[in-house]
Amino acid sequence: MLGTRGPQRGLFEADTMYGEYVGRDSFYGFLAEHRHELFRDGDFAAMYCADNGRPSVPPSLLATALVLQTHDKVSDEEARRRAAYDLQWKVALGVELMAQPFGKSTLCEFRASLVVHHEQQAIFRQSLKLARQRGFLKKQKKLKVALDTTNIFGRGAVKDTYNMLADGIALVGRALALPAGETVEAWAKREGYVPYVSAPSLKGSLDIDWDNRQQRVQALASVVADADRLLEQVRLRRGQLEAGSAGDGALAEAAGRLSRVLAQDIERKEQGPELRDGVAPDRMPAIHDPQSRHGRKSKANRFVGHKAHIAVDTDSQIVTAVAILPGNAPDAEQALALVEQTEKDTGCKVEQTIADCAYGSGATRQAFEDARRPLVAKVPAMSNRGRFPKTDFTIDPGATSCTCPAGQVSTDLRGGKQRAFHFAVEVCAACPLRPRCVRGRGGRTVQLHAQEHMLQAARAFQHSPPFRECQRRRQVVEHRLARIIQLGMRQARYVGRPKSLFQLAMAAAVANLVLMARAVAVLWTLLWASTRLLLGLLASQAIFRRRSVTASLVSIPCLVVPSLNSQLAGSRPHS
């Protein structure tokens, strides 16, 4: 049942008694001042039973605690301890000095409830609402947003195929043993799977010569045979369970992970199973984090996990939208969705979208063009292994002719979907630039992109002053990503993309709130400095006035005495 807090602040609450001591211009003072604007208990009513159960800890208090936890980068237990004993937290939460407002499990359950009800971004949206109320995002203003991504390391351990198969067998064993009230160790001993649940590393427990290929093949064949035998047991067991039941779902999930490892890493051959060469498409590298993927941000920067995708208003630096992508997904995936989400959550129209060259492909430009949204992104540079790239050729906008660097013109356009200009062999054979242009014996061909006209227009725009201004604005999203990384987003705290989305949304919410808190602190500092200056001027004027009055009083005798002397002198009789 939903528990609520009263709208009136108490006389004995920590923010009333110690707000000035903690500092109204601090982040904790900012939360104390604006927590009633940020979070209302009624906003979370859908997560609670309407008319049954004991009143809960007010969700507005728990939402504030999650903000503080992300800001201070502490665990659930440390968050509970600080809420009970830390004065800054008590001021921000608005609780009495001796109160212990919540337990560790209460905070965990509230977070889980947000994820289950697909409200991972609820607190983040509230930060945008406060930004609108405080004038950081004005409704009539047209936004220029910048997009970018950064990698997140997954929570699950990345292991080799042998140990992944062992973990998969142990995972299925738990799903079979627990419903029967049996420990996984007892089940493994009874069924003959002890090596997979007893040793921390299967490869370390195998007593073989790893330099001997035959012994490696035999060991792998034994592990694969045990995995196949276990999957057959799962099929028989699921036949005895009701379809769709909790036990059936748990078995299906565990067996699915084990089957995936066998499919992606093992090749079945006549002489026996062997490890697959290379990496299978969409490979699952961690069996305990099945949604993590192999990814790369560059040739050197490879990772296993997910990608954080954000949109930022380049004027106010407010993060306006967030998303989690698979680690192997292109950076531009969900780019248009982030722009649409920005408009929905901020109530402002997006005038322009700015991004780097990862968003400059023809497909992304076409998607934005179809949505009638301007996109500014650098076209990826082209190379041709030391020879003239396509960009050195002049293609007319109508795609009717192509002029090479030597000035030769081709109108021979061939192909259907993949169209290309062909230069005649005899023309290229006599060209003095042939060694820098053609590798084979034939003539040069220049392929046309499906969005060739968009790419040409983008390349031309890259050499204009407005593009340099857009590049300057794009740096804002890199700064915001750096701030989000400082809040712990480089390493996922939870397993799976839905929970990682919650972590990203919380980091973005805290980044927004800190930005607003600092702006308010600057205003308070300027106001205080102006007040001191004004008081100083008033005091100096008062001193000047006092000095003027004193000088006037002192000058009175100087004026009166000569007058009296003259009068006395005039009244004396002459001798």
Side-chain angles (χ1 to χ4, degrees):
M1 187 174 176
L2 178 66
T4 59
R5 304 179 74 178
Q8 186 174 358
R9 296 176 183 266
L11 292 176
F12 300 103
E13 291 178 356
D15 56 334
T16 304
M17 301 179 66
Y18 300 100
E20 295 297 334
Y21 176 74
V22 169
R24 297 294 182 186
D25 58 346
S26 67
F27 179 72
Y28 306 96
F30 177 82
L31 277 185
E33 184 71 22
H34 299 285
R35 65 172 182 270
H36 291 298
E37 300 175 55
L38 270 171
F39 308 119
R40 293 181 174 85
D41 296 315
D43 297 335
F44 304 92
M47 298 164 44
Y48 295 86
C49 180
D51 55 359
N52 189 22
R54 185 176 58 182
S56 67
V57 175
S60 59
L61 187 147
L62 294 174
T64 308
L66 288 177
V67 170
L68 292 169
Q69 181 186 28
T70 304
H71 178 267
D72 290 5
K73 295 179 287 187
V74 297
S75 64
D76 292 338
E77 176 58 28
E78 179 64 16
R80 180 206 65 78
R81 194 194 67 80
R82 293 196 182 191
Y85 306 113
D86 190 286
L87 185 59
Q88 291 177 320
W89 278 53
K90 285 184 176 294
V91 167
L93 293 171
V95 297
E96 295 184 1
L97 197 62
M98 302 301 293
Q100 297 189 16
F102 57 83
K104 174 184 174 181
S105 60
T106 304
L107 193 64
C108 294
E109 289 175 3
F110 180 70
R111 182 193 304 113
S113 184
L114 287 172
V115 175
V116 168
H117 288 85
H118 305 287
E119 291 291 341
Q120 297 101 314
Q121 301 190 47
I123 297 175
F124 170 68
R125 287 193 294 268
Q126 292 301 113
S127 73
L128 296 180
K129 182 179 177 182
L130 184 64
R132 292 196 304 270
Q133 294 173 351
R134 293 290 150 188
F136 290 86
L137 297 172
K138 298 180 180 179
K139 190 171 184 180
Q140 296 80 10
K141 181 183 176 183
K142 293 184 178 180
L143 304 181
K144 293 184 178 181
V145 300
L147 308 179
D148 205 354
T149 66
T150 190
N151 57 291
I152 306 171
F153 298 125
R155 191 63 182 172
V158 179
K159 300 183 179 182
D160 59 85
T161 301
Y162 287 88
N163 284 312
M164 283 186 67
L165 287 172
D167 288 348
I169 291 173
L171 192 68
V172 174
R174 290 187 183 91
L176 286 171
L178 292 181
E182 190 177 13
T183 63
V184 67
E185 291 80 8
W187 169 87
K189 185 175 181 180
R190 175 168 52 82
E191 299 292 340
Y193 296 102
V194 173
Y196 305 105
V197 300
S198 60
S201 171
L202 177 65
K203 288 185 71 173
S205 65
L206 293 177
D207 188 15
I208 65 171
D209 181 8
W210 289 100
D211 294 328
N212 189 314
R213 184 179 183 280
Q214 186 63 30
Q215 292 187 29
R216 294 199 309 269
V217 169
Q218 292 177 356
L220 180 62
S222 175
V223 176
V224 171
D226 286 340
D228 290 338
R229 177 165 63 93
L230 181 58
L231 290 176
E232 181 61 29
Q233 292 178 344
V234 170
R235 282 190 286 270
L236 295 176
R237 178 59 181 159
R238 291 188 64 192
Q240 302 172 1
L241 298 174
E242 181 182 355
S245 63
D248 180 67
L251 276 177
E253 171 67 19
R257 296 188 195 182
L258 179 57
S259 299
R260 179 160 188 160
V261 176
L262 289 171
Q264 70 185 15
D265 290 354
I266 302 298
E267 286 190 42
R268 311 276 184 162
K269 297 184 177 180
E270 294 183 0
Q271 61 270 27
E274 293 185 3
L275 295 178
R276 184 188 299 274
D277 290 332
V279 179
D282 201 35
R283 181 177 184 269
M284 179 182 69
I287 200 164
H288 294 294
D289 191 1
Q291 291 184 328
S292 64
R293 292 293 180 269
H294 294 283
R296 64 194 314 169
K297 287 292 291 179
S298 64
K299 289 184 178 180
N301 185 9
R302 300 185 180 187
F303 65 95
V304 173
H306 322 287
K307 286 182 180 179
H309 200 182
I310 69 170
V312 179
D313 173 33
T314 57
D315 289 324
S316 64
Q317 300 188 23
I318 294 291
V319 181
T320 58
V322 296
I324 290 289
L325 304 179
N328 56 357
D331 284 6
E333 189 171 304
Q334 297 189 27
L336 192 57
L338 280 185
V339 175
E340 294 170 349
Q341 191 66 35
T342 293
E343 291 187 342
K344 178 181 177 182
D345 291 341
T346 63
C348 302
K349 181 72 176 176
V350 175
E351 179 184 34
Q352 189 180 61
T353 304
I354 307 170
D356 59 17
C357 62
Y359 299 77
S361 66
T364 304
R365 295 182 188 275
Q366 187 65 58
F368 274 77
E369 179 70 20
D370 294 342
R372 298 182 179 180
R373 296 186 180 276
L375 172 65
V376 178
K378 187 176 180 180
V379 181
M382 301 185 68
S383 62
N384 192 22
R385 288 183 286 184
R387 291 173 173 81
F388 292 129
K390 175 182 173 179
T391 51
D392 287 346
F393 291 74
T394 302
I395 303 173
D396 74 337
T400 57
S401 66
C402 179
T403 304
C404 75
Q408 299 293 333
V409 180
S410 172
T411 58
D412 185 9
L413 183 60
R414 309 176 191 174
K417 293 183 178 180
Q418 297 290 336
R419 299 186 301 164
F421 282 104
H422 291 253
F423 287 82
V425 176
E426 56 273 13
V427 173
C428 292
C431 181
L433 299 179
R434 179 184 177 86
R436 299 172 57 190
C437 186
V438 184
R439 283 190 294 272
R441 296 182 178 181
R444 177 66 186 261
T445 61
V446 178
Q447 283 195 338
L448 290 184
H449 197 279
Q451 291 84 24
E452 186 66 37
H453 63 289
M454 295 183 184
L455 297 177
Q456 286 196 32
R459 289 192 183 97
F461 181 70
Q462 286 174 194
H463 301 287
S464 64
F467 180 77
R468 288 191 288 273
E469 171 63 18
C470 291
Q471 289 295 92
R472 183 190 65 79
R473 284 179 170 272
R474 197 191 67 81
Q475 296 176 4
V476 173
V477 70
E478 296 181 352
H479 298 161
R480 291 289 86 194
L481 278 176
R483 176 58 182 153
I484 287 174
I485 294 303
Q486 286 178 352
L487 291 168
M489 202 58 228
R490 181 64 75 204
Q491 174 67 60
R493 294 186 64 176
Y494 315 106
V495 172
R497 285 196 287 272
K499 293 181 181 180
S500 295
L501 175 60
F502 168 81
Q503 182 183 354
L504 174 60
M506 288 302 306
V510 170
N512 288 345
L513 293 174
V514 169
L515 190 68
M516 288 184 275
R518 288 178 177 174
V520 172
V522 169
L523 290 177
W524 274 108
T525 302
L526 292 176
L527 180 61
W528 176 239
S530 302
T531 304
R532 292 183 63 183
L533 179 61
L534 180 60
L535 291 174
L537 290 174
L538 292 174
S540 63
Q541 289 181 4
I543 293 173
F544 177 76
R545 288 173 181 173
R546 287 197 299 270
R547 287 178 178 175
S548 300
V549 172
T550 303
S552 300
L553 293 175
V554 171
S555 65
I556 289 175
C558 299
L559 296 173
V560 172
V561 170
S563 177
L564 291 174
N565 290 334
S566 62
Q567 292 179 10
L568 291 173
S571 61
R572 279 194 200 124
H574 297 283
S575 55

